[in-house]
Amino acid sequence: GQGNAVETAVDVNRAEGTKHGNVDNAGSVGNAGNYSSLGNIGVKRKKMINFDDEKETEETIKVDVQKEAVLARSIMQRLPKSMDELNAYPIKWDVFDAAPKATRGRISEWIGKKIAELLGDEKEFVEYIFEGIQNHKHPRDMVADVQDVLDDDTDAFVVDLYGKVIFEIEKRGPMV
């Protein structure tokens, strides 16, 4: 191959069977010398890898990751930071409902980790909270539901929880 392309394999087919050889940078096959001395051996090149395309893909991925990081920071800066801000925030539940299962999975996983930090392993409580989110429970109602269990941690937990929900929603489209 020429330029940035590299041959990954060469098949050398003989009438009595198949023998596999390697291609060096000069293009010669195995120890057989140059192609003219191979006689009736057919050379078939397999897949070519173009490293220019690979560089473009890596650069595209790098740009996409950078754009995602900028978007994430932008969303995080605009998330409600208090119960008053959260209670006034219009949550786009239709976007949440249309989100892939993985989005709800991340939220459920976050609830589990946060409750484990605060209370230990409380699977039923985690499921109860997540069910409230799936049922579009208003933040003030969530506070009333978890206050007896979370006590002083209630407001911070609910602001963080709904912040996570809003973040996942807003990643799917622009904030209004």
Side-chain angles (χ1 to χ4, degrees):
Q2 295 287 347
N4 290 319
V6 175
E7 288 126 3
T8 58
V10 172
D11 278 350
V12 179
N13 300 313
R14 295 177 183 261
E16 62 272 5
T18 300
K19 178 180 178 182
H20 296 283
N22 298 323
V23 175
D24 65 20
N25 291 336
S28 62
V29 177
N31 295 327
N34 64 36
Y35 289 111
S36 62
S37 67
L38 294 175
N40 291 336
I41 299 173
V43 177
K44 181 176 108 182
R45 289 193 173 110
K46 287 190 177 178
K47 186 176 179 186
M48 303 289 277
I49 300 171
N50 188 333
F51 289 107
D52 285 341
D53 290 344
E54 202 168 292
K55 280 183 185 175
E56 288 177 23
T57 302
E58 287 175 17
E59 289 170 11
T60 302
I61 290 170
K62 193 174 188 180
V63 168
D64 289 347
V65 168
Q66 289 170 342
K67 284 181 183 177
E68 279 185 32
V70 169
L71 175 64
R73 280 193 295 277
S74 173
I75 292 170
M76 290 174 71
Q77 289 172 350
R78 295 178 285 158
L79 290 176
K81 311 245 185 307
S82 69
M83 281 305 300
D84 289 338
E85 289 177 21
L86 180 58
N87 285 325
Y89 191 91
I91 299 172
K92 300 174 193 164
W93 291 112
D94 57 327
V95 177
F96 175 80
D97 292 340
K101 227 178 195 176
T103 300
R104 289 185 290 283
R106 282 191 297 277
I107 293 168
S108 178
E109 195 174 295
W110 182 90
I111 295 169
K113 287 178 183 175
K114 200 68 172 172
I115 293 301
E117 288 173 17
L118 298 171
L119 305 172
D121 187 21
E122 294 288 337
K123 189 175 181 174
E124 288 179 18
F125 191 52
V126 169
E127 290 172 3
Y128 175 77
I129 294 168
F130 184 63
E131 187 176 300
I133 293 296
Q134 288 185 302
N135 292 326
H136 310 170
K137 187 172 283 194
H138 193 278
R140 87 171 77 66
D141 297 329
M142 183 67 78
V143 166
D145 287 352
V146 300
Q147 179 75 49
D148 290 341
V149 178
L150 296 180
D151 199 29
D152 293 340
D153 295 317
T154 301
D155 285 358
F157 172 79
V158 171
V159 169
D160 287 350
L161 169 60
Y162 282 84
K164 177 72 174 160
V165 171
I166 293 165
F167 179 83
E168 291 292 340
I169 290 170
E170 298 303 336
K171 275 191 344 187
R172 308 202 62 70
M175 290 178 87
V176 177

